């Protein structure tokens, strides 16, 4: 588990070349990022290799993290996801005979219809999230987009754990109703 501000501070230290900052980032996020890599690659050894590449990338790109554009865990998860997908794509056998066999290579990227549909779904989700009570919306964002545990959220917001769970459950039920309607 991590504290957003603590992770932001550690990334800032990494951007300044602080190895201890990188160790802090690793300690706070490696389990989550390894999970992302393992889910995509389906092989633990390969996921661990990619995770190492992720932290090499974090070391060199920490200065580009912008806390105004995304949360630190979202930024890190995106790097892990992209690295794992790159590794997955590199596994594919490439046609050796040139253009004659190019039609047999599937394009894994989404087609235009899928991209438009995904964008519409994202906009619908954003609209439904905006319709939630502020406490419910913030709790859901922190739990599902930032990866914070319910217990951490309850402590952060100084409410009982049961209250936090209720806020999130009620918010999710409202989201479900909004998205299905």
């Amino acid at each position: 588990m991590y504290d957003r501000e603590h992770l932001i501070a550690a990334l800032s230290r990494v951007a300044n070349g602080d190895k201890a900052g990188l160790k802090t980032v690793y300690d706070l996020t490696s389990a989550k990022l390894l999970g992302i890599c393992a889910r995509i690659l389906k092989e633990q050894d390969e996921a661990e290799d990619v995770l190492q590449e992720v932290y090499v990338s974090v070391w060199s790109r920490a200065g580009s993290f912008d806390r105004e554009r995304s949360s630190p865990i979202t930024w890190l998860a995106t790097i892990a996801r992209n690295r794992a997908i790159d590794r997955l794509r590199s596994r594919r056998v490439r046609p050796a005979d040139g253009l004659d066999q190019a039609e047999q290579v599937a394009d894994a990227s989404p087609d235009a219809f899928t991209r438009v549909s995904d964008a519409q779904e994202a906009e619908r989700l954003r609209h439904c999230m905006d319709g939630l009570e502020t406490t419910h919306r913030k709790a859901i964002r922190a739990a599902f987009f930032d990866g914070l545990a319910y217990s951490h959220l309850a402590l952060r917001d100084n409410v009982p754990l049961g209250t936090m769970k209720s806020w999130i459950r009620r918010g999710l039920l409202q989201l479900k109703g909004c998205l299905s309607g």
Side-chain angles (χ1 to χ4, degrees), residues 26 33 49 151:
Y26 179 86
L33 299 184
D49 289 345
S151 57

Side-chain angles (χ1 to χ4, degrees), residues 25-80:
V25 171
Y26 179 86
D27 290 344
L28 294 173
T29 63
S30 60
K32 181 174 185 71
L33 299 184
L34 180 61
I36 291 168
C37 295
R39 242 186 344 266
I40 292 170
L41 296 168
K42 311 266 190 282
E43 293 181 21
Q44 188 70 20
D45 290 343
E46 198 164 18
E48 290 171 1
D49 289 345
V50 169
L51 185 65
Q52 183 176 1
E53 293 174 17
V54 168
Y55 287 103
V56 169
S57 184
V58 168
W59 178 255
S60 63
R61 295 177 48 202
S64 69
F65 170 70
D66 181 358
R67 71 182 294 162
E68 300 301 319
R69 292 187 64 202
S70 70
S71 73
I73 197 66
T74 301
W75 184 76
L76 292 163
T78 300
I79 293 172

Side-chain angles (χ1 to χ4, degrees), residues 93-105:
V93 177
R94 302 287 183 205
D97 297 336
L99 293 177
D100 293 337
Q101 294 187 9
E103 66 186 37
Q104 296 174 8
V105 178

Side-chain angles (χ1 to χ4, degrees), residues 8 31-32 36 50 73 110-111 122-123 126 129 131 140 174-175:
I8 290 171
K32 181 174 185 71
I36 291 168
V50 169
I73 197 66
D111 61 14
E123 181 55 37
R126 201 173 359 268
M129 286 290 291
I140 288 171
Q174 288 175 324
L175 274 179

